[in-house]
Amino acid sequence: MSQKYVIGNYKLNPATQQDALTLAQNLTPSACVVGIAPSILHLSAIKSVLADGIALGAQDITHKSADVGAFTGDVSATQVKDMGANFTLVGHSERRQYHGETDEILSQKIAHAFHAGLSVVFCIGETKDDYDQKRTQQVLSAQLELLAPFAKQIPLDTDQTLPKLIIAYEPVWAIGTGLTPTLAEIECVHNFISETLSTLQIFAPILYGGSVNDQNATSFAQSPLIDGALVGGASLKTDSFAAIITAFS
Ligand code: PEP
């Protein structure tokens, strides 16, 4: 079985650092690569309690600068790396939707992340309208295009625990809704993403995200086309997240 990855995205949760630490302390290394992206505020405290081998990431970095500058309220890739993070999410649909993040902004973020030595979990996905209008492939291929200039920076083979680039396919309509595409639909999309990436000379694991839980994880995990899961809500429940990790291990 190829290497699988399970990454938790805590979003704006939990309300206290103590609760974040409790979640993180319960994680143990597993046969799949496990990672979490807590609030940036909690990165440093979590780093100090996280078991060796669990990857730590940010949910976002600024596009304005890779390191420092007069950008009030922003947090840079270099600062995140300095706090002990290994990766950052880029392009989550909530950032695209609520913060107007364009392809140009996302490419700057990827460039800064690579510059600082962070891996990137690049999130892509279609809206419900795109899905209904059968535009999923068209939307994904446009979203993937911005990766082309980075092809030479992404090694074909990596002996690192975390590859430099991971793709997370997250249909916008499946995030936090309890809805998911069928397994066959996800496999078809993952196949399409993989073909699109190979035309760009890029090879990266492809995770599925969107309402993954302890009930549906096993069927997703059994697919050779699904390299892992990006998990939102269920990553905040210790038992559910552990069951998802077990399913992919
Ligand atoms: C996400 O936001 O990345 C996500 C997958 O959320 P959920 O698992 O809650 O649908």
Side-chain angles (χ1 to χ4, degrees), residues 9 11 89 92-94 123 170 174-178 208-212 230-235:
N9 171 16
K11 309 194 188 192
L89 306 185
H92 192 283
S93 64
E94 287 153 12
C123 306
E170 300 204 300
I175 294 179
T177 59
Y208 168 74
S211 295
V212 175
L230 180 56
V231 185
S235 70

Side-chain angles (χ1 to χ4, degrees), residues 2-128:
S2 63
Q3 182 64 67
K4 304 265 180 174
Y5 304 83
V6 173
I7 296 178
N9 171 16
Y10 288 3
K11 309 194 188 192
L12 205 168
N13 296 291
T16 68
Q17 177 167 287
Q18 187 49 55
D19 286 349
L21 288 173
T22 304
L23 283 172
Q25 270 164 330
N26 279 317
L27 296 168
T28 48
S30 183
C32 72
V33 174
V34 178
I36 51 167
S39 160
I40 284 175
L41 272 182
H42 300 151
L43 274 181
S44 164
I46 286 183
K47 180 71 185 173
S48 64
V49 300
L50 209 56
D52 281 350
I54 309 274
L56 183 64
Q59 297 167 22
D60 185 42
I61 51 167
T62 185
H63 66 291
K64 298 303 286 182
S65 164
D67 38 48
V68 295
F71 303 109
T72 304
D74 280 341
V75 175
S76 74
T78 300
Q79 290 175 320
V80 159
K81 174 81 178 170
D82 183 55
M83 287 294 107
N86 317 101
F87 72 93
T88 181
L89 306 185
V90 172
H92 192 283
S93 64
E94 287 153 12
R95 301 288 318 171
R96 293 179 193 254
Q97 189 182 345
Y98 304 137
H99 298 271
E101 294 193 352
T102 60
D103 284 353
E104 193 189 343
I105 289 174
L106 300 181
S107 348
Q108 285 166 335
K109 290 186 183 207
I110 293 172
H112 295 336
F114 287 171
H115 173 81
L118 293 172
S119 294
V120 168
V121 178
F122 183 54
C123 306
I124 56 173
E126 82 285 2
T127 62
K128 181 70 169 62

